[in-house]
Amino acid sequence: MEYDSTMIHPHPRYGGLMKVSKHGADRMVKRGIKQAVINVVYAYGIEKGDKVVLTARMAAQRLEEAREEMRQWDAVFDFGGGSISDAMHRSAALEAEIKALEQVVRTRGATVVCVGDTLITTYRGSVQIKIH
């Protein structure tokens, strides 16, 4: 998928819409960072100034939680609880999240840099952060 500066995505952390600068779009394409990775960084990362950082350790922890949630949904579905459509929708969302988290773990973290509602750049790996 090719990105350009006019693309607007739902902002995963603050609601509303997030714009992607041309530089940010170019970096996403060049570095192979998909929107799903950006979403998990925003969902589970820590803000440090204009950066949102998701370390590999944080991603691995959430990955285990997501896999357990997937097993629970599978069990509910197997025993006929809930609707098929709810189970399929949640299962697909969890599969996409798990895939993105696996990529973050493999690449030793991910960082997104935004100014306001505009993604400026993103890169693999994470700076060392102190959690207070």
Side-chain angles (χ1 to χ4, degrees), residues 75-97:
V76 167
F77 183 68
D78 288 343
F79 290 107
S83 74
I84 292 174
S85 114
D86 287 347
M88 289 176 64
H89 177 67
R90 185 61 187 145
S91 180
L94 279 169
E95 284 176 12
E97 182 177 313

Side-chain angles (χ1 to χ4, degrees), residues 11 19 24 28 36 49 55 60 67 79 81 91 95 98 124 128:
H11 198 293
K19 298 178 206 130
M28 286 174 73
T55 65
R67 286 178 174 154
F79 290 107
S91 180
E95 284 176 12
I98 287 168
R124 298 174 192 271
Q128 286 208 337

Side-chain angles (χ1 to χ4, degrees), residues 32-48:
I33 299 173
K34 297 186 170 150
Q35 185 65 39
V37 170
I38 303 297
N39 292 347
V40 297
V41 170
Y42 271 118
Y44 306 110
I46 294 176
E47 285 186 61
K48 289 297 265 183

Side-chain angles (χ1 to χ4, degrees), residues 86-117:
D86 287 347
M88 289 176 64
H89 177 67
R90 185 61 187 145
S91 180
L94 279 169
E95 284 176 12
E97 182 177 313
I98 287 168
K99 187 174 180 181
L101 286 164
E102 287 171 341
Q103 182 178 0
V104 172
V105 170
R106 270 194 315 274
T107 59
R108 296 177 308 208
T111 302
V112 175
V113 180
C114 280
V115 174
D117 64 350

Side-chain angles (χ1 to χ4, degrees), residues 10-71:
H11 198 293
R13 181 165 275 191
Y14 304 111
L17 298 175
M18 175 180 67
K19 298 178 206 130
V20 179
S21 70
K22 178 163 179 15
H23 176 79
D26 290 346
R27 297 293 71 86
M28 286 174 73
V29 170
K30 181 176 182 180
R31 296 171 181 158
I33 299 173
K34 297 186 170 150
Q35 185 65 39
V37 170
I38 303 297
N39 292 347
V40 297
V41 170
Y42 271 118
Y44 306 110
I46 294 176
E47 285 186 61
K48 289 297 265 183
D50 57 357
K51 295 178 184 175
V52 181
V53 178
L54 182 62
T55 65
R57 181 177 292 167
M58 293 162 54
Q61 180 179 348
R62 174 58 195 147
L63 180 58
E64 288 308 310
E65 293 167 359
R67 286 178 174 154
E68 178 58 31
E69 190 176 342
M70 179 69 92
R71 284 189 287 273

